Amino acid sequence: MKKSFLKSHLCYLLLSSLILLLTLPIAFVSQPAFGSALNRTPVILDDDGSQDGMTAWVYILQNPKFEVKAMTISQGLAHPRIFGNNLMRMLARLGITGIPVAVGRETPLSGNNAFSDAFRADTDTFWTPFTNLPDQALETVDRRSAAQLLVDTINKSPKPVEILMTGSATNIAEALTLDPRITKKISRLQIMGGAVFIPGNLREHLDPILKQNQVSEFNIWTDPVAAQKVFSAGLPIYLTPLDATNQIGFTRADQAAWKATGTPESILASQFLNYALTKISGNDPLIPNPAWDLVAAINLSEPSFCPEIPLHIEVNTNGKPKVNQRQTVAIPNQPPNINVCLNPSLANLPFTSQELFSDKAKP
């Protein structure tokens, strides 16, 4: 009986060990976080403190394809110093630490183009009461300038870096001046800006002279010298202009779905969209909001979203303010310097706009 017991016990141990060994590879494969962390693309986020820019940022922050290495605030819609402190509180709300944030200069590289104060007021308050932030941040703004943080982050990265630029080109242009060699370590510069073959949006400016300009777009107009410097630097640029963003609209159904997704990022994105639909689209259910910068972020994440067309784009740094100053112009019969998205489509994606922050949109 003793031998029989030992034999049975030995068989049991062997069988148990075999089952354990067979399950080990499956258990290892079922841990995607480690493997995906090795393959995540390093990305830097640069924006001028816009509501749609922050929507784009939270989309990238929760996107497992990317590892956000730094954030920089450029002059434009926001006052960088004010917005930098509010951004730190936004990160605290999301429970995110360890990403350096730096602010850029308060003025463009050249000229004095600026948004109307009326446009900047809601940005200064971080769109209160549509959004709410904790009283205290978990970290402080980096002491380096935005340009210096860009240079340091790019040079430190063991892999080429992608950049999502959804405001003025001021910070990127200054970084190129500090260290022109960084062009070799930037694998993609995704820009939201310009209007190539359609009217611009400067006509929405409150200045009676500037609003006569029917062709220029705000992000490029704010610092055209910086934009031209970036466009001519030999970078791999992918442009998402108004031609593309005007074809995509987000609605109250999207806002409700993002809120229902229930993640910190999706809830905050729903609040940004609520602001946009209420204040920008006039609370008209028939007028969706383009969320311009979010479209550029989707373009960065999803290669199938929009076919790219190579064009040669220049910025008109002269011209008359009320005619064509700061226009992005496609020059025919010239070597292409920018890949341009003209016809994006959500139908090209395996998920819907309402699922943008859900697991269905994550690889």
Side-chain angles (χ1 to χ4, degrees):
M1 180 178 290
K2 187 175 181 180
K3 288 184 178 181
S4 177
F5 170 81
L6 289 174
K7 186 176 180 180
S8 299
H9 189 60
L10 180 59
C11 290
Y12 172 79
L13 289 175
L14 289 172
L15 182 60
S16 299
S17 299
L18 180 61
I19 293 173
L20 179 61
L21 287 171
L22 288 172
T23 58
L24 278 175
I26 299 174
F28 178 76
V29 173
S30 67
Q31 303 297 320
F34 177 76
S36 61
L38 294 177
N39 297 321
R40 291 165 70 188
T41 300
V43 64
I44 297 173
L45 305 179
D46 182 79
D47 184 65
D48 67 338
S50 62
Q51 149 271 322
D52 53 310
M54 293 304 99
T55 310
W57 281 23
V58 295
Y59 169 73
I60 295 295
L61 282 167
Q62 55 88 59
N63 192 322
K65 293 181 179 180
F66 300 102
E67 180 182 8
V68 179
K69 306 297 289 186
M71 298 175 166
T72 52
I73 301 299
S74 66
Q75 64 84 27
L77 189 58
H79 296 93
R81 294 189 183 278
I82 295 174
F83 196 84
N85 293 324
N86 285 332
L87 176 59
M88 301 313 298
R89 294 164 62 205
M90 184 191 94
L91 293 176
R93 169 177 166 170
L94 297 175
I96 295 173
T97 59
I99 300 176
V101 174
V103 300
R105 57 189 290 158
E106 298 283 336
T107 57
L109 294 185
S110 178
N112 57 0
N113 289 354
F115 279 80
S116 303
D117 288 340
F119 290 173
R120 308 180 85 177
D122 286 347
T123 297
D124 286 346
T125 64
F126 211 81
W127 308 285
T128 302
F130 293 89
T131 66
N132 59 290
L133 297 176
D135 294 333
Q136 298 293 327
L138 299 177
E139 297 175 318
T140 58
V141 174
D142 199 288
R143 292 185 178 182
R144 287 169 288 182
S145 68
Q148 190 63 60
L149 178 59
L150 282 161
V151 169
D152 292 347
T153 304
I154 293 167
N155 285 330
K156 183 180 177 181
S157 176
K159 296 196 297 185
V161 172
E162 294 186 351
I163 300 176
L164 176 64
M165 189 191 91
T166 48
S168 69
T170 310
N171 290 341
I172 310 297
E174 281 201 309
L176 290 170
T177 300
L178 284 177
D179 187 355
R181 297 170 299 176
I182 62 174
T183 57
K184 298 178 181 179
K185 297 195 67 177
I186 298 173
S187 59
R188 183 183 181 105
L189 175 57
Q190 183 74 53
I191 298 175
M192 190 280 125
V196 183
F197 299 115
I198 67 169
N201 59 7
L202 193 63
R203 63 188 187 276
E204 298 174 11
H205 202 293
L206 300 182
D207 184 285
I209 294 178
L210 293 174
K211 69 187 309 176
Q212 296 179 56
N213 184 322
Q214 298 292 308
V215 295
S216 300
E217 182 272 335
F218 270 105
N219 284 350
I220 304 299
W221 172 85
T222 304
D223 198 344
V225 171
Q228 180 58 30
K229 181 179 178 65
V230 171
F231 282 9
S232 60
L235 289 162
I237 296 177
Y238 293 80
L239 185 70
T240 307
L242 292 181
D243 308 57
T245 60
N246 286 359
Q247 299 181 50
I248 304 294
F250 299 92
T251 66
R252 288 291 178 190
D254 295 309
Q255 181 213 337
W258 297 355
K259 182 178 180 180
T261 299
T263 64
E265 292 83 4
S266 68
I267 293 172
L268 184 55
S270 74
Q271 294 175 349
F272 290 140
L273 184 56
N274 184 24
Y275 166 86
L277 290 169
T278 303
K279 299 290 288 286
I280 300 175
S281 299
N283 215 19
D284 187 333
L286 299 179
I287 303 178
N289 183 263
W292 302 266
D293 297 344
L294 177 59
V295 177
I298 298 172
N299 206 18
L300 177 65
S301 175
E302 305 298 327
S304 63
F305 180 53
C306 184
E308 308 285 353
I309 299 175
L311 296 173
H312 187 94
I313 302 291
E314 299 282 346
V315 179
N316 182 345
T317 55
N318 299 307
K320 296 181 179 180
K322 65 180 182 180
V323 180
N324 61 353
Q325 187 186 52
R326 302 4 179 181
Q327 180 185 10
T328 44
V329 183
I331 309 295
N333 303 319
Q334 292 292 321
N337 61 342
I338 294 177
N339 298 289
V340 183
C341 165
L342 294 175
N343 293 293
S345 176
L346 290 166
N348 294 339
L349 304 178
F351 52 86
T352 69
S353 58
Q354 297 183 20
E355 298 168 337
L356 200 58
F357 292 87
S358 72
D359 288 340
K360 292 184 178 180
K362 299 173 183 177

